[in-house]
Amino acid sequence: MGIMGKRSEFKRQPRDFYPTPFECVEPLIQHLSKNFTFTEPCAGDGALCGHLEHWGGKCLWASDLLPHHEGIYRNDYSAVGETELRGSDYIITNPPWDRKLLHPMIDHFRTQRDTWLLFDADWMHTAQSRPYMQNCQKIVSVGRVKWFGNMTGKDNCAWYLFTNRPATRTQFIGR
């Protein structure tokens, strides 16, 4: 089992299961429509759904390959389609950061709904991000996240908005 980040000594959780801390959501809220609805395809234990609902959102569908909470459907991200997305304004999730999963998720989700994904901020500076940045409309900085209660992670994070529309210029929102 690998380590969580490039500078972390913590063993990586299976399938990158790290419940989303409440503090991660606040920077995103001002970029969502009022009374927004969403689908959460990597819901884990439902923490992100609860945080978004605290801010006035409504989760219309939550799923995960291995759900950690009752009411979250067992579903692979690639099976999320119009039935699961019906009525949702957005797809919002904290996906696995493994690039072999993350990149196909970006391609799959952005063609269906405007998609907000929370992952490492450093990604935007890599050559591997180039083909995906053409559909990245906005990046909202979150900073370092306390994934383990009081222990701050080693990587800065950001929310990325991917759409099916070409981005003439990606808007960056700093902290």
Side-chain angles (χ1 to χ4, degrees):
M1 183 175 292
I3 56 174
M4 182 180 173
K6 59 187 167 224
R7 294 173 302 278
S8 172
E9 296 177 14
F10 294 99
K11 287 196 173 201
R12 190 173 213 127
Q13 296 294 320
R15 294 181 37 272
D16 281 356
F17 174 64
Y18 300 99
T20 308
F22 183 81
E23 297 76 26
C24 290
V25 177
E26 190 172 8
L28 174 64
I29 296 303
Q30 66 183 312
H31 303 281
L32 303 173
S33 57
K34 188 175 177 155
N35 301 317
F36 64 96
T37 57
F38 66 97
T39 293
E40 216 295 35
C42 304
D45 66 357
L48 179 56
C49 296
H51 303 332
L52 290 165
E53 288 182 336
H54 169 84
W55 290 99
K58 183 174 182 183
C59 182
L60 300 181
W61 173 269
S63 61
D64 199 283
L65 192 58
L66 291 172
H68 291 263
H69 193 273
E70 191 173 314
I72 297 172
Y73 294 94
R74 184 183 193 103
N75 206 37
D76 184 77
Y77 82 89
S78 63
V80 172
E82 199 52 45
T83 299
E84 294 77 16
L85 295 168
R86 188 172 300 125
S88 293
D89 299 318
Y90 306 100
I91 295 170
I92 305 175
T93 194
N94 171 11
W97 293 10
D98 181 322
R99 300 327 190 213
K100 290 178 184 168
L101 290 171
L102 177 64
H103 292 159
M105 284 183 178
I106 293 169
D107 285 334
H108 181 69
F109 295 148
R110 75 168 178 80
T111 62
Q112 300 181 62
R113 290 288 186 285
D114 287 359
T115 300
W116 285 100
L117 302 177
L118 176 68
F119 57 95
D120 59 293
D122 206 33
W123 175 85
M124 72 179 100
H125 301 290
T126 65
Q128 66 183 328
S129 73
R130 190 169 296 137
Y132 305 96
M133 290 303 292
Q134 64 190 359
N135 291 99
C136 184
Q137 302 290 332
K138 195 180 284 191
I139 299 170
V140 178
S141 179
V142 172
R144 300 263 170 107
V145 175
K146 291 185 179 181
W147 296 106
F148 310 107
N150 289 329
M151 294 182 115
T152 304
K154 304 282 186 188
D155 295 304
N156 289 304
C157 297
W159 285 102
Y160 294 82
L161 174 61
F162 295 97
T163 71
N164 207 29
R165 302 174 304 279
T168 55
R169 173 178 244 154
T170 302
Q171 183 183 10
F172 179 78
I173 314 304
R175 293 181 59 197

